[in-house]
Amino acid sequence: MSQFPYSIPSREEILGVLRKSGEPQDIAAIAGALKVGTDHLDGLSRRLNAMERDGQIKPDRTGLYQLANTSSFVEGRVSSHRDGYGFLIPDDGTEDLFLSEKEMQKVLHGDRVQARITGTDRRGRPEGSIVEVIERANTHVIGRLVNENGVWLVAPEDKRLGQDILVQGSPGKAKAGQVVSIEMIEQPTRYSQAVGKVVEVLGEFDDPGMEIEIAVRKYGVPHEFSDTAKKLATRLPSEVRPADLDERVDLRDIPLVTIDGEDARDFDDAVYCEPVKIGRTTGFRLIVAIADVSHYVKPGDGIDTDALQRSTSVYFPRRVIPMLPEKLSNGLCSLNPDVDRLTLVCDAVITSKGVIKAYQFYPAVIHSAARMTYTEVAAILGNTRGPEAGRRPGLVPHLQNLYDVFQVLLKARHERGAIDFETTETYIVCNAVGKIEQILPRTRNEAHRVIEECMLAANVCAADLLERFEHPGVYRVHAAPTKEKLTQLRNFLKQQGLHLGGGDDPTATQYAELLNKVKDRPDAVLLQTMLLRSMQQAVYSPENIGHFGLSYEAYAHFTSPIRRYPDLLTHRSIKAILKGKRYQPTNIDTSVLNTTLSKSARKMQVTDKARGKKKMEGDLAIWESLGIHCSANERRADEASRDVEAWLKCYFIRDKLGEEFTGTISSVTTFGIFVQLDQLFIEGLVHITELGTDYFQYDEARHELRGERSGIRYQMTDRVRVQVSRVDLDARRIDLRLVTESDARGLPKPGRSAEGGAGRTKKPRAAEPKPASAPKKAGKPKRGSTSPSNDKSHARNGARKKR
């Protein structure tokens, strides 16, 4: 809190005046530029003295203030570690700056600051001192209310916020132990603790659905629609009106069907296929009809602003936070059977070799013939004379046509060299109070693959249309692996007697060929994992660099406008092209974008700058901002979903403390091994101290821990037997310990011996790993993405994967 009863301009504001003026200024000129009255000059003078002390400004020979040499100052975002220290992630993409626990007392995770480089720490990392907080990231904090000796505090749920928040006054009706939302009144400083007031009581920690209530607030996921959006939704019609059919192609006589999971609630795509003659050969006409959300959601209106703010629907077990109000997502824009619905159609002609010969887009009205499930369609395709087929006799030929076009598209996919990783997806089965009953692998049948290939074809056509008409849009891009990742991968492959061709620029085909080569090896899972980890994450961008994993020159999301904002943007662009116009999203609420760009999305801009990409200007600037915004919010949704799943898994396994399970090592780090338990599909950590009495060296190239004296190795995909030893709900962490020998190499039973202490590594290791749901190498937070790149939308709660 300021020691003055009036507001003093911040350091950043003062620096801005000096930068803008370009010449030294006296205190009167600075006060005038910042509208500081003469009776407030004492506070401004003290602020200037502090800035001079910290080396931000300096007086010239006449006493006027000027900017100091700024080469030793760095601006960026604070990334906090749960152990108390942190890092400043510079805006200019340079090396991270280490911040000690003392420095981190001034800030919270996510704050933007200016720091001065003060030297290096004992590990040789550049170290800094925070001189000014430019922007505070946390206005509200979720945590548990505690009373310590009569003092009310809130312990943040996000462990990266390493400080308790002092409650101002009384907590009201909130009780100790309850989860509350606290509004920040005073941010932390070097001299004082953060202070806030309780503004919402969420309930008891283990109330049904509490983990979701915490996650949406913890990650800032908008979960309530604005009053404006609600009012607009109530004014929408309940059914398609005659006026809505103007200038639309009538496809109501075409037996289009929706094919989704059993528990899907919104149906945004319908498909139909028939054989057609292409010259002397037979090809296919594939119709992919997508809900015409853009007909009802206009740029800049209340529903659009809320949708942009969310950017995506968020899927939790037993609950979905939709991008659009329910009247649209489950009503007007859901392609329910036996009712008229407005769509935007991709009507494509595909050759017998899987080549898209021609396509056209047009607005249409459809009348879905049936709402079908993957299980039902797979049963019909497997037995066209079976009971399932008997219930849908009129649709069986059309489903067979869909399967035939899938076969040719799949063949073309293999020929172009698209990468197809085989991974096991799971879904959570919850009981009536929202807790896990079991975790099951999701069975992926032929019907899933049929729909996926149809959606891929439509997305490719959408991207091609944007390219042909040179219309701006947000492509779904997937960059090739970085040189650093390729070097790590090749070092690993070399030790396995394998080689990935292509030098610094391997193709997707070369990846696919290597995957096919190793698929029958006993270490195939390990090799696939390493290949997957070498790849980048797919993002949205107006710069079309192609999609590496799918081996497409151009790819855009078009098929899910109910749950993805980029798809809605693509629809608007396509409609503009059809009318001979250009769509420029200038009338959207840019304040929504600015909020995102000032926080998590800034990291993407830094990554772009580091690789030499210039910031876009003019008409493309808004599209670049939209791409960054949507990509950041996609990750936000994934993080919130993972957090909820991790909490549920911890809650589920609390009843299994002391029980033993077999499992597979899924990740190896400097501080231990992560093990995925068989049948439960839950990961836990065997800490390095549980591995025995040896010193363990971490081999990054081989992804293994090796005992220095014994030669014992723990490597990814090794089989082990473990016991559940501890569960920490707050940290989302499950601790395990080895209890038996592992695999044929005879790994010893862990524990302490009479000779020495517990197992350890000679490398310094992070004292506290990340939660069990996200095993990654501990240590210094890194800029950019190191996540596996698989452009499959992991739709939870039974919604299917689509790209």
Side-chain angles (χ1 to χ4, degrees):
M1 179 183 294
S2 172
Q3 58 180 306
F4 298 98
Y6 50 83
S7 176
I8 303 173
S10 70
R11 297 187 182 208
E12 183 61 22
E13 289 173 323
I14 295 170
L15 292 173
V17 169
L18 294 176
R19 291 190 192 102
K20 187 175 181 179
S21 67
E23 57 185 24
Q25 301 284 308
D26 61 16
I27 187 170
I30 295 172
L34 296 173
K35 296 181 172 55
V36 177
T38 55
D39 53 341
H40 295 169
L41 287 180
D42 185 35
L44 177 60
S45 177
R46 294 197 182 193
R47 174 61 52 86
L48 291 169
N49 290 338
M51 294 174 68
E52 182 182 348
R53 179 199 65 212
D54 289 335
Q56 292 178 289
I57 61 175
K58 63 181 180 181
D60 63 9
R61 284 178 293 180
T62 64
L64 300 181
Y65 292 103
Q66 60 186 353
L67 293 172
N69 182 1
T70 58
S71 61
S72 62
F73 289 93
V74 180
E75 289 187 6
R77 180 178 58 86
V78 171
S79 178
S80 175
H81 191 278
R82 58 186 299 146
D83 284 344
Y85 61 86
F87 294 89
L88 185 145
I89 314 298
D91 290 343
D92 60 6
T94 55
E95 187 176 3
D96 297 353
L97 199 64
F98 178 77
L99 301 173
S100 67
E101 284 190 60
K102 181 180 178 181
E103 291 300 313
M104 290 299 295
Q105 292 174 2
K106 310 172 188 177
V107 292
L108 294 175
H109 176 79
D111 289 347
R112 288 197 67 244
V113 304
Q114 183 183 71
R116 182 178 67 249
I117 300 173
T118 58
T120 57
D121 68 356
R122 63 180 183 275
R123 293 174 59 179
R125 298 174 295 193
E127 187 169 6
S129 172
I130 296 172
V131 297
E132 175 70 2
V133 179
I134 300 171
E135 178 187 352
R136 294 290 187 176
N138 303 278
T139 59
H140 292 74
V141 173
I142 304 299
R144 202 164 334 177
L145 187 64
V146 296
N147 188 309
E148 292 186 357
N149 300 320
V151 178
W152 289 99
L153 302 167
V154 170
E157 169 67 20
D158 188 342
K159 299 309 173 186
R160 296 172 301 180
L161 304 178
Q163 309 175 33
D164 291 344
I165 314 298
L166 182 66
V167 177
Q168 184 183 65
S170 167
K173 296 181 180 180
K175 300 176 183 178
Q178 288 186 316
V179 179
V180 299
S181 173
I182 190 166
E183 182 181 356
M184 300 292 288
I185 297 175
E186 297 176 19
Q187 297 283 348
T189 70
R190 70 178 74 190
Y191 306 113
S192 62
Q193 187 174 3
V195 180
K197 64 178 181 180
V198 175
V199 292
E200 183 182 12
V201 180
L202 277 68
E204 301 298 333
F205 189 67
D206 57 354
D207 283 350
M210 179 56 66
E211 67 282 355
I212 297 176
E213 298 297 333
I214 290 172
V216 295
R217 292 165 176 82
K218 178 177 174 181
Y219 291 95
V221 175
H223 56 286
E224 293 183 355
F225 287 104
S226 65
D227 290 339
T228 304
K230 291 176 183 177
K231 289 177 183 178
L232 285 174
T234 58
R235 296 174 191 165
L236 291 169
S238 298
E239 56 188 21
V240 174
R241 300 163 300 188
D244 296 324
L245 304 185
D246 292 346
E247 300 182 6
R248 288 186 180 271
V249 177
D250 192 339
L251 297 182
R252 285 176 289 190
D253 60 334
I254 302 292
L256 288 130
V257 297
T258 62
I259 304 175
D260 295 87
E262 279 77 3
D263 51 359
R265 296 175 59 194
D266 53 76
F267 316 113
D268 49 12
D269 59 78
V271 291
Y272 168 81
C273 185
E274 64 183 13
V276 293
K277 282 290 184 181
I278 305 176
R280 297 182 179 180
T281 62
T282 300
F284 301 92
R285 179 194 183 194
L286 173 64
I287 298 177
V288 178
I290 305 299
D292 191 357
V293 174
S294 63
H295 180 80
Y296 299 104
V297 181
K298 303 303 180 183
D301 71 11
I303 296 176
D304 183 61
T305 299
D306 280 22
L308 174 59
Q309 188 178 32
R310 298 176 181 219
S311 299
T312 180
S313 297
V314 187
Y315 294 87
F316 299 110
R318 298 182 73 245
R319 181 179 170 187
V320 177
I321 297 179
M323 187 181 79
L324 300 174
E326 189 171 356
K327 189 165 185 179
L328 286 170
S329 60
N330 297 135
L332 272 174
C333 292
S334 186
L335 306 184
N336 300 317
D338 304 322
V339 292
D340 291 351
R341 286 290 183 257
L342 305 183
T343 62
L344 185 60
V345 168
C346 174
D347 194 336
V349 175
I350 300 170
T351 71
S352 58
K353 295 186 179 295
V355 176
I356 300 174
K357 184 75 172 177
Y359 65 83
Q360 60 178 327
F361 286 88
Y362 51 82
V365 57
I366 72 165
H367 195 91
S368 174
R371 177 269 199 265
M372 307 187 73
T373 68
Y374 294 124
T375 303
E376 180 183 9
V377 172
I380 292 173
L381 294 175
N383 183 4
T384 55
R385 296 183 179 181
E388 294 287 353
R391 285 190 281 270
R392 309 272 196 181
L395 295 177
V396 172
H398 305 302
L399 294 177
Q400 287 179 308
N401 291 334
L402 281 169
Y403 185 74
D404 290 340
V405 77
F406 154 69
Q407 291 287 351
V408 300
L409 288 171
L410 182 64
K411 183 179 178 182
R413 175 195 185 108
H414 292 155
E415 289 179 351
R416 73 173 183 269
I419 305 170
D420 194 4
F421 291 107
E422 294 183 7
T423 57
T424 300
E425 284 193 50
T426 60
Y427 66 98
I428 292 174
V429 179
C430 292
N431 56 26
V433 294
K435 299 303 186 288
I436 296 181
E437 284 191 342
Q438 56 184 330
I439 302 172
L440 300 174
R442 189 178 297 280
T443 303
R444 184 168 160 79
N445 58 40
E446 290 290 80
H448 288 86
R449 304 182 74 192
V450 167
I451 291 299
E452 180 177 331
E453 288 298 332
C454 291
M455 298 304 113
L456 288 174
N459 287 338
V460 168
C461 292
D464 186 74
L465 188 74
L466 296 178
E467 284 275 281
R468 286 178 183 272
F469 285 85
E470 299 181 350
H471 192 291
V474 281
Y475 295 91
R476 183 64 166 178
V477 300
H478 182 207
T482 64
K483 290 183 179 180
E484 178 186 5
K485 287 290 183 181
L486 283 172
T487 299
Q488 294 175 359
L489 174 63
R490 286 202 164 92
N491 288 339
F492 174 78
L493 293 174
K494 185 177 181 180
Q495 295 166 358
Q496 312 302 318
L498 295 169
H499 174 70
L500 174 68
D504 290 338
D505 297 298
T507 63
T509 300
Q510 288 164 323
Y511 262 78
E513 288 173 349
L514 183 55
L515 274 172
N516 187 60
K517 181 179 179 180
V518 303
K519 65 180 181 181
D520 295 325
R521 287 176 51 135
D523 58 352
V525 174
L526 171 61
L527 294 167
Q528 175 179 276
T529 300
M530 299 312 299
L531 287 166
L532 184 61
R533 290 185 177 181
S534 73
M535 301 176 73
Q536 298 196 61
Q537 189 174 31
V539 296
Y540 296 106
S541 172
E543 180 187 15
N544 179 30
I545 61 172
H547 196 294
F548 180 81
L550 293 174
S551 195
Y552 285 135
E553 292 183 1
Y555 185 70
H557 276 166
F558 160 77
T559 55
S560 294
I562 288 179
R563 63 182 181 89
R564 291 189 306 226
Y565 197 81
D567 302 56
L568 178 56
L569 290 171
T570 301
H571 278 229
R572 289 172 177 165
S573 296
I574 290 174
K575 280 190 170 182
I577 291 171
L578 296 180
K579 294 179 180 179
K581 300 178 180 179
R582 289 175 72 83
Y583 169 63
Q584 183 67 9
T586 53
N587 54 349
I588 63 174
D589 188 350
T590 55
S591 65
V592 174
L593 301 181
N594 293 336
T595 300
T596 307
L597 293 177
S598 67
K599 294 181 181 179
S600 60
R602 194 180 301 275
K603 182 168 62 176
M604 295 180 61
Q605 293 178 318
V606 170
T607 303
D608 288 340
K609 185 182 290 187
R611 71 172 193 244
K613 176 184 171 183
K614 294 182 179 179
K615 184 174 178 63
M616 295 183 175
E617 298 178 352
D619 291 347
L620 286 180
I622 185 67
W623 289 101
E624 181 181 41
S625 296
L626 284 165
I628 293 172
H629 173 83
C630 292
S631 299
N633 287 346
E634 178 185 49
R635 287 198 298 275
R636 178 182 68 183
D638 288 341
E639 289 171 354
S641 296
R642 283 196 297 267
D643 187 78
V644 168
E645 290 187 8
W647 191 94
L648 288 171
K649 289 175 180 179
C650 287
Y651 193 93
F652 173 69
I653 209 167
R654 282 198 314 176
D655 296 334
K656 303 183 186 303
L657 282 171
E659 293 187 27
E660 297 180 8
F661 299 91
T662 55
T664 302
I665 296 178
S666 56
S667 182
V668 181
T669 72
T670 57
F671 53 79
I673 57 176
F674 284 93
V675 177
Q676 177 168 295
L677 308 182
D678 295 344
Q679 300 171 337
L680 294 183
F681 300 99
I682 288 177
E683 282 184 327
L685 171 69
V686 179
H687 197 268
I688 196 79
T689 56
E690 294 287 348
L691 294 182
T693 61
D694 207 345
Y695 285 96
F696 284 88
Q697 294 279 4
Y698 175 66
D699 188 330
E700 187 173 11
R702 288 188 171 88
H703 287 262
E704 71 177 20
L705 287 173
R706 181 190 294 268
E708 188 175 87
R709 297 193 304 270
S710 64
I712 295 170
R713 296 187 304 163
Y714 295 93
Q715 190 178 45
M716 284 175 56
T717 72
D718 284 350
R719 301 281 297 159
V720 292
R721 186 167 184 82
V722 295
Q723 182 185 59
V724 180
S725 60
R726 180 175 175 268
V727 178
D728 186 344
L729 272 174
D730 289 338
R732 314 290 196 265
R733 174 172 160 178
I734 300 167
D735 287 336
L736 311 170
R737 71 178 187 88
L738 292 173
V739 293
T740 63
E741 292 186 351
S742 173
D743 69 34
R745 289 173 304 192
L747 302 186
K749 185 174 181 177
R752 297 178 181 269
S753 69
E755 296 179 335
R760 50 208 180 273
T761 60
K762 283 193 170 180
K763 281 187 177 183
R765 64 177 182 272
E768 198 73 41
K770 292 189 176 181
S773 61
K776 291 183 181 180
K777 183 181 175 182
K780 179 176 175 181
K782 303 217 174 164
R783 298 184 297 276
S785 171
T786 56
S787 301
S789 173
N790 184 358
D791 186 34
K792 295 177 181 176
S793 301
H794 298 287
R796 274 104 176 151
N797 202 27
R800 68 164 173 271
K801 294 196 309 178
K802 293 179 186 174
R803 287 188 255 200

